[in-house]
Amino acid sequence: MGKYTKMPLREKEILCQNTYTNEILRSADYLHEYEKYALVGMWDIPPSCYTNFRDALFHFRKMCSSSEEHEIMQQVFAVKEHLGRARTDARIVILLMYAKVAELLLKREDIGKELKVKIRILLHKMKNVSMTNRIQGMMMADVIINHYSDDEISEIVREFLDLIQSECMEPFEEIRNELGQKGEKIISL
């Protein structure tokens, strides 16, 4: 029978508090922010975001009830993995939705050349982040090609929405409503 090392109670308490604060609460805040971005476009973030968040809470509960060090560390890893998936799914869907809107805005005749240049720059940023995230997802090792934080992604989306609000809200609303009326599914995971 293997020898199991119990984690000291104080060390476990600190690990649980840090995991809850730095992972679970932070991820909940980002998911809430992504929900707001989706709401502007009248879309939803995918259900996988919620199921992964729920699964992370399951692993957190299991972590808190364990005493063996190896089991606790496995559960911490599982919490981080599920929360990472939840944020990635939400991030990619939001970026791809707004990239679709940007592409449709670029095709419109009522959008000026200067505005199209600004939209194109933001479109390339959104597509670059999406591509990088997809490549990261295919990597088996912890090799980081180019990492974008949730804050950097939020900045790109805010920049796009600020541009829309200040310069082309009416065309944006037309595209958003047209996509909604067609029932077009922009992206599925």
Side-chain angles (χ1 to χ4, degrees):
M1 184 100 151
K3 184 177 178 183
Y4 297 105
T5 307
K6 291 197 180 259
M7 182 176 274
L9 189 57
R10 181 65 186 143
E11 187 178 323
K12 177 184 165 187
E13 183 179 298
I14 291 169
L15 183 62
C16 289
Q17 287 174 350
N18 287 339
T19 302
Y20 185 74
T21 304
N22 297 331
E23 301 298 332
I24 294 172
L25 291 180
R26 189 171 55 98
S27 292
D29 288 343
Y30 284 122
L31 287 175
H32 184 67
E33 188 173 347
Y34 291 136
E35 286 174 331
K36 288 180 182 178
Y37 295 145
L39 188 61
V40 171
M42 298 173 94
W43 301 294
D44 295 316
I45 61 175
S48 62
C49 299
Y50 303 109
T51 56
N52 272 305
F53 191 84
R54 178 207 58 208
D55 292 349
L57 294 177
F58 167 80
H59 288 287
F60 179 74
R61 187 178 76 194
K62 196 169 178 184
M63 176 185 98
C64 291
S65 64
S66 297
S67 60
E68 194 265 310
E69 186 172 1
H70 183 72
E71 175 67 19
I72 291 169
M73 297 313 291
Q74 285 180 329
Q75 297 308 319
V76 170
F77 178 81
V79 167
K80 290 178 181 182
E81 184 178 19
H82 281 291
L83 293 175
R85 285 184 198 159
R87 289 193 321 270
T88 298
D89 287 355
R91 166 189 321 137
I92 295 302
V93 166
I94 294 299
L95 289 171
L96 291 178
M97 288 187 316
Y98 283 117
K100 175 74 171 176
V101 170
E103 288 171 347
L104 294 172
L105 284 169
L106 290 172
K107 293 178 182 177
R108 292 179 63 112
E109 299 294 325
D110 59 344
I111 303 289
K113 288 182 181 181
E114 290 180 25
L115 180 53
K116 283 186 178 183
V117 168
K118 293 176 185 177
I119 292 171
R120 193 169 281 111
I121 290 168
L122 290 167
L123 174 61
H124 287 295
K125 285 182 182 181
M126 288 185 268
K127 285 190 170 188
N128 188 38
V129 172
S130 297
M131 181 187 67
T132 301
N133 269 277
R134 286 183 172 183
I135 291 171
Q136 267 325 119
M138 291 186 286
M139 303 303 282
M140 295 301 287
D142 290 334
V143 176
I144 295 177
I145 295 166
N146 189 4
H147 178 75
Y148 291 92
S149 70
D150 287 298
D151 290 332
E152 291 170 315
I153 291 159
S154 291
E155 182 58 35
I156 292 168
V157 174
R158 277 194 299 267
E159 192 177 344
F160 179 70
L161 293 176
D162 287 347
L163 179 66
I164 295 299
Q165 187 174 15
S166 67
E167 301 203 31
C168 60
M169 190 63 184
E170 195 172 306
F172 169 78
E173 288 175 340
E174 289 173 16
I175 290 170
R176 179 188 67 189
N177 294 338
E178 182 182 317
L179 289 172
Q181 286 176 355
K182 287 181 181 176
E184 185 172 332
K185 193 166 188 173
I186 296 173
I187 181 71
S188 64
L189 295 177

